[in-house]
Amino acid sequence: IFEAAKSPWPFVVAVTFRGSCMFRYEVDKRDRDEQYYQKGDTITINANNAVKLWASNAQSAAVIVQASGGKQAEIDLGDAGEIAVKRIAWVQTDSGGYSLSLFEVD
């Protein structure tokens, strides 16, 4: 999603719901929240290192990851009716920098 030369930085995940969805998220392996959202609902998640996202209707959640400097990227969780679990996390690269990456979670 993003590259960082020296160190990772906090990021924001903004979710806007296009339809009904049971949605859960866990921030930095600490705080977890779960709620049923409907069309038009929005949430903002602030994270330092990682966010895990669960969605009962993946296509209904429009996810945008925002970083410092005005960088942003839209994340596709999946198709209509699909149950999706994704993890957005900083990982160290072979060059010694960091990369904010999207991972499938089983």
Side-chain angles (χ1 to χ4, degrees):
I1 302 171
F2 302 118
E3 300 288 327
K6 297 181 182 177
S7 65
W9 59 79
F11 60 96
V12 176
V13 177
V15 185
T16 302
F17 294 91
R18 297 178 263 210
S20 300
C21 180
M22 178 61 76
F23 191 82
R24 178 190 313 153
Y25 62 91
E26 180 182 80
V27 181
D28 296 327
K29 294 185 179 180
R30 295 187 324 258
D31 303 325
R32 182 181 281 189
D33 190 12
E34 180 175 2
Q35 190 171 331
Y36 185 77
Y37 294 94
Q38 297 183 27
K39 183 178 181 177
D41 290 344
T42 61
I43 58 172
T44 302
I45 305 164
N46 296 297
N48 291 317
N49 299 306
V51 172
K52 191 182 291 186
L53 307 172
W54 291 263
S56 66
N57 182 7
Q59 191 177 41
S60 70
V63 179
I64 295 178
V65 179
Q66 302 167 335
S68 62
K71 295 179 184 177
Q72 69 177 28
E74 188 170 344
I75 303 298
D76 181 24
L77 293 183
D79 296 327
E82 180 182 351
I83 297 171
V85 183
K86 308 280 184 174
R87 184 170 183 262
I88 302 169
W90 284 109
V91 293
Q92 194 162 18
T93 63
D94 293 338
S95 64
Y98 289 85
S99 174
L100 185 63
S101 302
L102 179 67
F103 301 96
E104 286 281 335
V105 178
D106 292 335

